[in-house]
Amino acid sequence: HHWHYSQPQRQRRRRLSENPSSETNNRDNHELFDVVTALEIIEHVPDPTSLLRSAVSLLRPDGILFVSTINRTWKSYGMAIVAAEYISGKVPVGTHDWNRFWSPDEVERMVCDVEHGGDSGSGGATGHEEKYVMKQVGLSGMVIQPPFVNLKWSLDPLDTDVNWIGAYQKQRVR
């Protein structure tokens, strides 16, 4: 499947990739979204907390951030590194570093342990800025089904040992 971007979309993507903090840190000058995703990326970046906070800054009130990554367990080491990189060759050797895998609790702290100022449109003129917190509203494991060669996946809220996805909502502080 190929994604086609208009010229303005390509220019915006290029600006964000060249300097991701330039737009995300300027609350008066960026578009807000109902949904933002950070899927299978935080285990590959040097500062995942900064990336996730930038993602949160792009959310409208009540917006949802989806984050998926790999948990740091012995099972994930066996599946994501030994099996995927060395045995099956599905992923190039060296793609993953087990020390950069993140548990659901660690990601929840990165996303939710900060109070955020808001862009609800009502605070600017009065000098009163609404405050928001992020709350985890969903968590599920993403489990590969045997036979593994088919790469058939399903969601399992009871098995976050390897791949998992969390949903975090931007909620007004009352």
Side-chain angles (χ1 to χ4, degrees):
H1 189 281
H2 296 283
W3 292 101
H4 300 282
Y5 293 99
S6 67
Q7 185 65 26
Q9 288 171 316
R10 280 195 296 274
Q11 290 170 343
R12 177 170 165 71
R13 288 184 72 215
R14 190 174 307 115
R15 280 195 316 270
L16 286 172
S17 66
E18 290 167 359
N19 187 0
S21 63
S22 66
E23 289 192 31
T24 57
N25 288 334
N26 183 351
R27 286 198 178 119
D28 297 330
N29 196 22
H30 75 270
E31 192 173 355
L32 298 178
F33 301 92
D34 293 321
V35 175
V36 174
T37 63
L39 305 178
E40 303 302 317
I41 188 170
I42 67 168
E43 68 272 19
H44 302 287
V45 298
D47 186 359
T49 301
S50 177
L51 179 130
L52 292 173
R53 289 186 181 160
S54 292
V56 167
S57 78
L58 294 171
L59 285 172
R60 287 189 176 116
D62 298 319
I64 304 237
L65 170 65
F66 289 97
V67 179
S68 67
T69 191
I70 304 173
N71 203 345
R72 192 176 49 258
T73 64
W74 289 111
K75 184 176 173 183
S76 72
Y77 184 84
M79 296 288 289
I81 295 177
V82 175
E85 294 183 19
Y86 290 93
I87 295 173
S88 74
K90 294 277 185 193
V91 178
V93 171
T95 297
H96 297 112
D97 175 350
W98 187 77
N99 294 306
R100 298 185 80 181
F101 291 175
W102 299 98
S103 74
D105 289 341
E106 290 169 322
V107 171
E108 183 177 18
R109 283 192 299 274
M110 282 189 251
V111 172
C112 298
D113 282 357
V114 174
E115 191 171 273
H116 306 274
D119 271 347
S120 66
S122 64
T126 64
H128 151 271
E129 189 176 85
E130 291 185 322
K131 299 291 182 189
Y132 297 88
V133 294
M134 295 296 293
K135 297 284 185 187
Q136 186 180 69
V137 294
L139 177 66
S140 187
M142 299 185 304
V143 181
I144 192 166
Q145 302 298 316
F148 302 116
V149 294
N150 295 338
L151 295 179
K152 183 178 177 184
W153 294 82
S154 64
L155 294 176
D156 183 345
L158 302 177
D159 185 357
T160 59
D161 292 345
V162 183
N163 296 79
W164 62 271
I165 187 166
Y168 309 88
Q169 186 174 40
K170 187 175 191 178
Q171 299 177 353
R172 275 187 187 85
V173 175
R174 303 206 188 272

